[in-house]
Amino acid sequence: MSWWQVLPVVVGAVGLILLPGYVVAAGCGAKGMSRLGLAAPLTTSVVSMSAIVAGALRSDWSLWWLVLPTLALAIGGVIVRHFTGARRPRRIGLRGLNRPSLRSAVLFLAVTLSGAIIGWRLTQLFGRPESVSQTYDGVFHLNALRYIMDTGSASSLSLGGMPTGGDDPSFYPAAWHGLVSLLIQATDTSIPVAVNATSIAVGAIVWPIGCIFLCTRITGNRPIPVLVTGVLASGFSAFPYLLLDFGVLYPNFLSVALLPACVALAAMVLRVSSDNRQPWMVSFLALLASLPGLGLAHPSTLMALAALFLPLGGVAMVRHWRQLRRRRAHAARFIPSFAALVCYTAAVVVLWQELRPSETASQWEPFQTNARAVGEILAAAPMGEPAAWMIMFLTFAGLLHIVLKRGTWWGFGIFLVTAFLYVVASSEPQGDFRNLITGVWYNDSFRLAALLPVTTIVLASIGGSWIVTATAQHLQERGKHIVLQRVHPRLTTTVPAIAATITAVAVLVPLVQGPSVSVPVREAHRLNYDLNEESALSVDERELIGRLPQHVPDDAVVAGNPWSGMAYAYALSGVEVLTPHLGTTGAPENLQLLMELDQAATNPAICPLLESTGVQYVLEFAGKEIHAGDHFYPGVEGLAGQPGLRVLDSEGQATLYEITTC
C-alpha cells in the first residue's frame, strides 16, 4: 500500500478532527483565525464527552454520536446569539490585507507549507502506511481500538478495563481512541492505517494551526508572523516526532497538539492577547468547552495548561493594576484581582497534589545535570537530540525583543514554566521535590520535553517576525529611492515586504529541517517502525497474524508470550488474545496458563483453566521481544513436539498451535 492510496484516509482524518469543531465555533460566533483555532479542541471535547454519554446509555459508539451533538451545539449557539441580540464580532483578519480572500490565502499557505513538511517527515518516520509502533504503549493503544470495535464503547470510564476483558472497568483518557475508532468506521480502513493517518492529521494540521493561533495572540494577525510560525512549527524534534517515537504516547500526542490553541484562548480570556476584539464571553465559553477534550485526551496536559495560566494571570493582574493606578482607583479595587490569582494558585496546588499517578508508577530517573538541561532547552534539543541552531538563534532574538520592547512578558513567562518542569524532571535528584513538581507526568522527561515546543515557538516566532519585519522596513526605506517609486508609490511598501517574506521562508525551511529533525525521524523509524526479520514484530510474524482468521473461530482465544509479536494479534486480526496488554497478564489463571499450558496433556488442572478462559490456540513467536525484553513463559514457549498440540500454520519461526488435549 502506498501513501497516495492512503491520502483519502488522511483527508478524512483532517475533516473528522476539524469540521465538527469548526461548525460549532461558527454557530457560537467565533470568527476568522479563532474559528479555525477552536476547531480541533471543540471536536475533541464533543467526541470524548459523547463517548461517555453513549457508554452510560449502553449505545454503540458511532458517527451519529459526533454528528448529532455537533449540530445541536451549533444550532444552539445560533439560537442563543439570536435571542440575546449578541453583536457580531468584527472579523479577525491579517492586518494590512483588506480582502478576505488574501487573508485566507496567507493562512492557507502557512498551514499547507507546514503540513506538507511535517506530513513528509511523518511518512518517513512510519515508513509504510500499515506500519505499527513496536513499543510497550503501542500494543495497548492498538488493542484498545480493537476493543472499542468489539464492545461498541469508547468511553473514558471503561476503556481502562480492556486488559481484564471489561471485568474491572476503570478510567483511561480515551479521546484519541474515540477519534481513531470513528475514522475506522467512516473509511473502513485497517487499525494501523487509521492510526497513522490520524497521527499525520494531528501532527501536520492541528499542531501548525494551534501554533499560529497562539503566536498571533502576541505578534498580531499579520502575514509575516503567520508564515514564520508555520515554518517553525515543523522544525522541532520534541514535537510532533518525539511522542510518536517514545512510548508510543498517542493520547499525549493529541493533547499537546491541542495545547497551543487552549493557551491562546486563555490569553484572550485574560485580555493579554494582542487581539481582543472577539467578545469576551465567546472566548470564555470556548475555553470552557475545550477543557473536557484536553483533559480526556490526557489529564497531564490539562495540568500543564493550569500551570501556564499562572504567568498569564500574573501579567493580566499587573496590567489591571496599572489601569487602576491611572484612574486613581481606591485601594480596595486592587484586592479582587489579587485574591482571584491567589485562589487560583491555591486550587492548582491542590490539584497538583491530588491528580497524579502513584510514586511507584513515577520511577523515571533523572539523567543529566541542570546545566545540560538548560542548554538543551535553549538549543531546542531535549533528550539529547541534535541542536536546532536556527530555532535557538530566533529564540534568543525573541527574548531580546521582549526585553527591548518591554512587552509580551507572558510569552516569556510560559516559556519559563515549561523549561522549569523539564529541568526538574531531567536533572533534579529523586525525592519529594521532584515528585511534587513533575509527578503529574510520571517524572518522565520525554513527556515534558514534548511541552517545550509549545512555548519555545512563541519566542522563536517573535524573534523571526521581528527580523523579517525589520528587513522589510529597511527595504521599504530603500525602495523610496529606487525605480519602484517611479512605477507606483505603493510598490515601495508591498514589493519589499513580499520579497523579505518569501526570502525568509525560503531560508528558514531548509535551516529548520536539518539534522535536528532528520536524525530523530530516521532513528524513530529504525527502532520502532521498521518491519524486518530482526524487529520485535517480524515479517514472518505479521504474515502469520494476517492468516489467523482462517484458522481461529470468532469465539476462540489465543495464548502466547505477550511481549513477543503476538501481542499485536488482537489489533491486526481481530482474534481475541489472552493478554492484550503488556502491563498485566490479567486474572491469576491467565498467568498459570502462560506458565503451565505445555503440561495440558499431563496436568489435569490445565483443562478447566482452558475452558474457563476460552483458550483453544497458542501462538509461539520465537523472535525478539518488544523493547528487547527477556520474559520467559514456559507454558507457551518451546512447544515443538509437545503432546496435545497440533500445528495449524507456521511462517519462519512463528507457529500457530491448536490445543487438542481437552
Side-chain angles (χ1 to χ4, degrees):
M1 179 179 292
S2 70
W3 284 106
W4 289 111
Q5 292 173 299
V6 177
L7 184 59
V9 182
V10 176
V11 173
V14 173
L16 182 67
I17 295 172
L18 294 184
L19 187 58
Y22 189 88
V23 170
V24 172
C28 294
K31 293 292 180 180
M33 185 68 233
S34 296
R35 185 187 296 181
L36 186 60
L38 283 170
L42 291 181
T43 296
T44 308
S45 287
V46 172
V47 167
S48 55
M49 295 302 294
S50 296
I52 292 176
V53 174
L57 297 177
R58 299 185 182 278
S59 174
D60 285 344
W61 178 238
S62 69
L63 284 167
W64 288 112
W65 280 103
L66 175 60
V67 173
L68 296 181
T70 295
L71 293 177
L73 290 171
I75 294 172
V78 172
I79 293 174
V80 169
R81 287 194 296 119
H82 175 75
F83 284 102
T84 57
R87 179 177 59 87
R88 293 187 63 182
R90 287 176 287 178
R91 183 179 296 275
I92 300 175
L94 303 174
R95 296 175 186 172
L97 296 177
N98 296 320
R99 294 175 57 186
S101 59
L102 290 178
R103 292 195 301 265
S104 301
V106 173
L107 179 58
F108 177 79
L109 176 61
V111 175
T112 301
L113 180 61
S114 182
I117 296 172
I118 296 175
W120 167 58
R121 288 297 192 186
L122 290 178
T123 61
Q124 291 180 321
L125 190 149
F126 299 139
R128 301 187 303 174
E130 61 272 22
S131 295
V132 298
S133 173
Q134 300 172 39
T135 55
Y136 179 92
D137 294 272
V139 173
F140 174 84
H141 295 309
L142 268 66
N143 284 340
L145 291 171
R146 179 66 66 179
Y147 182 73
I148 290 173
M149 296 166 63
D150 288 347
T151 63
S153 174
S155 172
S156 296
L157 302 182
S158 61
L159 186 62
M162 186 269 292
T164 59
D167 292 337
D168 185 24
S170 58
F171 173 82
Y172 190 91
W176 177 87
H177 304 84
L179 280 168
V180 180
S181 60
L182 289 181
L183 180 64
I184 294 171
Q185 293 184 33
T187 61
D188 194 29
T189 192
S190 68
I191 288 177
V193 171
V195 168
N196 293 335
T198 302
S199 297
I200 292 174
V202 172
I205 302 298
V206 175
W207 165 249
I209 288 174
C211 289
I212 293 171
F213 186 33
L214 171 59
C215 291
T216 54
R217 300 311 92 187
I218 282 184
T219 61
N221 293 298
R222 294 176 289 116
I224 290 175
V226 168
L227 289 170
V228 168
T229 304
V231 174
L232 292 178
S234 67
F236 293 89
S237 62
F239 198 87
Y241 312 110
L242 180 63
L243 294 185
L244 295 175
D245 175 16
F246 171 77
V248 60
L249 305 179
Y250 292 122
N252 289 79
F253 174 71
L254 173 61
S255 65
V256 174
L258 300 176
L259 182 58
C262 294
V263 177
L265 284 171
M268 295 173 72
V269 168
L270 292 172
R271 288 312 199 219
V272 296
S273 168
S274 67
D275 195 336
N276 294 317
R277 287 176 290 177
Q278 178 165 284
W280 181 85
M281 186 57 67
V282 173
S283 299
F284 177 70
L285 293 178
L287 178 61
L288 287 183
S290 299
L291 296 182
L294 185 67
L296 292 174
H298 204 281
S300 66
T301 309
L302 181 62
M303 295 307 299
L305 177 64
L308 295 176
F309 236 109
L310 295 176
L312 289 167
V315 170
M317 183 182 70
V318 170
R319 289 186 179 182
H320 178 60
W321 284 4
R322 286 177 177 173
Q323 292 177 353
L324 292 178
R325 283 200 302 269
R326 284 196 295 267
R327 299 171 186 172
R328 297 182 179 180
H330 189 272
R333 295 283 302 276
F334 291 80
I335 297 177
S337 58
F338 178 75
L341 184 60
V342 170
C343 291
Y344 176 79
T345 303
V348 170
V349 171
V350 172
L351 290 174
W352 210 269
Q353 293 175 330
E354 297 298 327
L355 299 180
R356 62 178 57 244
S358 65
E359 291 190 19
T360 57
S362 306
Q363 295 302 311
W364 291 92
E365 298 281 348
F367 62 92
Q368 62 183 348
T369 64
N370 295 146
R372 180 177 173 182
V374 172
E376 288 186 345
I377 293 166
L378 295 176
M383 305 309 297
E385 298 293 356
W389 298 110
M390 177 52 67
I391 291 179
M392 181 177 70
F393 170 73
L394 295 180
T395 300
F396 279 110
L399 289 171
L400 179 61
H401 183 270
I402 290 174
V403 172
L404 293 177
K405 299 298 181 180
R406 297 182 180 180
T408 61
W409 286 106
W410 65 265
F412 182 52
I414 62 175
F415 172 78
L416 288 180
V417 170
T418 56
F420 173 68
L421 293 173
Y422 179 72
V423 169
V424 171
S426 64
S427 63
E428 282 296 306
Q430 286 280 35
D432 293 339
F433 175 74
R434 186 167 182 263
N435 288 330
L436 173 65
I437 301 300
T438 60
V440 172
W441 293 270
Y442 304 90
N443 290 322
D444 183 359
S445 302
F446 285 93
R447 299 171 192 262
L448 290 164
L451 294 177
L452 291 172
V454 175
T455 58
T456 303
I457 196 172
V458 175
L459 298 182
S461 178
I462 292 172
S465 301
W466 179 33
I467 292 172
V468 177
T469 301
T471 302
Q473 291 173 347
H474 176 70
L475 293 176
Q476 288 171 357
E477 290 298 320
R478 295 196 62 183
K480 295 178 180 179
H481 307 290
I482 58 178
V483 69
L484 293 176
Q485 177 70 28
R486 302 174 183 176
V487 177
H488 195 287
R490 293 187 62 182
L491 292 180
T492 61
T493 58
T494 57
V495 171
I498 294 173
T501 304
I502 293 176
T503 302
V505 171
V507 170
L508 279 177
V509 168
L511 288 179
V512 300
Q513 291 300 309
S516 61
V517 173
S518 61
V519 171
V521 167
R522 183 172 62 249
E523 287 301 295
H525 171 72
R526 183 181 67 84
L527 294 174
N528 296 324
Y529 289 91
D530 190 21
L531 184 67
N532 54 62
E533 294 302 331
E534 299 298 322
S535 54
L537 176 65
S538 70
V539 176
D540 291 340
E541 291 169 354
R542 185 148 188 179
E543 286 289 335
L544 183 55
I545 287 176
R547 297 199 297 265
L548 286 182
Q550 302 175 19
H551 305 289
V552 180
D554 292 339
D555 59 347
V557 178
V558 178
N561 179 356
W563 285 85
S564 69
M566 76 83 53
Y568 295 92
Y570 182 43
L572 300 181
S573 70
V575 173
E576 187 176 352
V577 298
L578 183 66
T579 49
H581 182 34
L582 305 185
T584 177
T585 56
E589 54 266 29
N590 293 356
L591 179 59
Q592 186 175 353
L593 281 178
L594 294 178
M595 303 302 291
E596 302 176 3
L597 190 148
D598 61 329
Q599 306 171 21
T602 57
N603 186 345
I606 300 302
C607 284
L609 291 177
L610 294 173
E611 184 176 357
S612 64
T613 58
V615 173
Q616 301 175 34
Y617 301 87
V618 181
L619 266 179
E620 182 183 3
F621 288 174
K624 291 183 177 180
E625 290 188 2
I626 293 170
H627 291 319
D630 185 17
H631 301 80
F632 182 51
Y633 297 100
V636 292
E637 297 182 47
L639 301 179
Q642 290 286 351
L645 297 173
R646 179 168 65 93
V647 175
L648 284 183
D649 197 357
S650 65
E651 189 76 34
Q653 296 183 354
T655 307
L656 173 66
Y657 295 93
E658 180 183 13
I659 303 171
T660 59
T661 298
C662 304

